[in-house]
Amino acid sequence: MSIEVRVRVTATFSSEDSAKNATSELKKSLNKNSHELAKALDALNPIENQDSYQNEHINVEEVKRKNCTLTISSYTYSSEQPMWFAQSLAKLGAEKIHIIGNADGHVQNYYFLKGEKVQKKLFAGDPPAKALSEKDIEINKGLFLPDKRVTVKAKLVSTWAIGDIYESIGMKFITENGDEFFYKGRGQLLDILWNSKIEKFDTSITIEFSAVFERETHDNNYASFAKRPTKIVKISEQT
């Protein structure tokens, strides 16, 4: 049974004129694209890896503007977290974007500055996080944590059910250099690794994708987690 997710997008522009122009362009594109948000934004500014989200429909109910702020009210039955279109909206001139996903009372917030996902404190203008402590630096030395988005080749080792409303899956990977990292979510990454013939995730496949890596905890230990994977391709398969 699909769960309806209410999605509200609040975009703030540098001036009322830029907000007005963006609202006008978006409304025109929505009318041409059956009021589906991702298609409308993609038509204005192509969304990276949009083909991966072609079945993830976000249906717009209302678009309104007040001064420099544009608000979009919509709903979806998507399994993806409703935030992968933020950069396209930013290209319309939105400097700050706040996306709220509400599924049956379970609320998640996402914050963006000029299209890049940030923490709430930075979005709100609070001082940036303090420099890493010596303890954090030592912990991070043992983890796969590149500074920026990188491309990796990796093999799936194991999976587990997250148990959230999106029916997300947790995955453990090993890179070709022996580095360990994890991923939580759904989308194209899962689709490529799912073997429908045996109804299991396929650990014989080597895949390549681009991602950023952040430190989180897993089984009470610190671990590296891949975030926002894109450009996902199957490289090889054991014979």
Side-chain angles (χ1 to χ4, degrees):
M1 180 179 177
S2 298
I3 299 176
E4 181 181 273
V5 182
R6 308 296 303 182
V7 180
R8 188 179 72 195
V9 183
T10 304
T12 304
F13 294 76
S14 59
S15 68
E16 187 169 351
D17 283 343
S18 61
K20 186 183 298 184
N21 291 335
T23 303
S24 176
E25 286 189 54
L26 179 58
K27 284 183 175 180
K28 289 176 183 177
S29 190
L30 284 167
N31 288 332
K32 294 177 181 179
N33 290 280
S34 303
H35 293 272
E36 202 284 308
L37 182 59
K39 288 182 180 178
L41 286 171
D42 187 59
L44 294 171
N45 297 296
I47 296 173
E48 184 179 6
N49 210 27
Q50 168 63 5
D51 290 345
S52 302
Y53 306 108
Q54 59 184 346
N55 296 320
E56 310 290 345
H57 299 295
I58 303 175
N59 306 289
V60 175
E61 295 178 314
E62 183 182 44
V63 176
K64 60 181 181 181
R65 180 191 62 83
K66 183 176 181 180
N67 300 326
C68 299
T69 302
L70 167 64
T71 303
I72 305 166
S73 300
S74 59
Y75 67 93
T76 182
Y77 295 96
S78 166
S79 59
E80 281 288 332
Q81 295 177 339
M83 61 180 185
W84 38 269
F85 52 84
Q87 285 194 348
S88 179
L89 183 56
K91 289 176 182 176
L92 277 176
E95 295 194 342
K96 300 178 71 174
I97 301 170
H98 179 199
I99 301 174
I100 303 175
N102 186 338
D104 198 23
H106 180 77
V107 178
Q108 290 184 294
N109 291 273
Y110 308 95
Y111 304 92
F112 299 83
L113 291 177
K114 296 183 178 179
E116 297 297 326
K117 189 172 183 289
V118 297
Q119 296 296 320
K120 181 179 180 181
K121 287 184 178 180
L122 184 58
F123 180 86
D126 292 346
K130 294 180 181 179
L132 291 176
S133 66
E134 290 185 7
K135 179 180 178 180
D136 284 325
I137 292 172
E138 285 302 312
I139 291 171
N140 289 355
K141 282 181 180 178
L143 303 176
F144 181 64
L145 293 171
D147 290 336
K148 299 178 181 179
R149 175 174 287 272
V150 296
T151 298
V152 295
K153 291 181 182 179
K155 290 178 64 66
L156 176 66
V157 175
S158 60
T159 65
W160 74 95
I162 300 298
D164 60 11
I165 59 171
Y166 303 106
E167 299 181 349
S168 300
I169 298 294
M171 294 183 158
K172 178 181 177 180
F173 289 90
I174 299 291
T175 72
E176 59 181 356
N177 295 323
D179 297 306
E180 176 185 284
F181 68 88
F182 298 85
Y183 171 76
K184 294 185 293 186
R186 297 198 64 83
Q188 187 188 14
L189 188 59
L190 275 68
D191 294 339
I192 286 180
L193 290 167
W194 179 254
N195 189 325
S196 58
K197 293 181 180 179
I198 60 176
E199 295 189 344
K200 289 183 179 180
F201 287 103
D202 198 336
T203 56
S204 70
I205 296 173
T206 298
I207 60 171
E208 179 181 276
F209 60 91
S210 170
V212 294
F213 291 83
E214 298 175 4
R215 191 181 84 179
E216 293 186 9
T217 55
H218 176 64
D219 287 342
N220 297 318
N221 294 310
Y222 289 111
S224 169
F225 276 79
K227 301 290 184 177
R228 304 179 293 285
T230 61
K231 302 177 182 177
I232 305 165
V233 294
K234 184 190 298 186
I235 298 298
S236 65
E237 204 166 329
Q238 288 180 349
T239 57

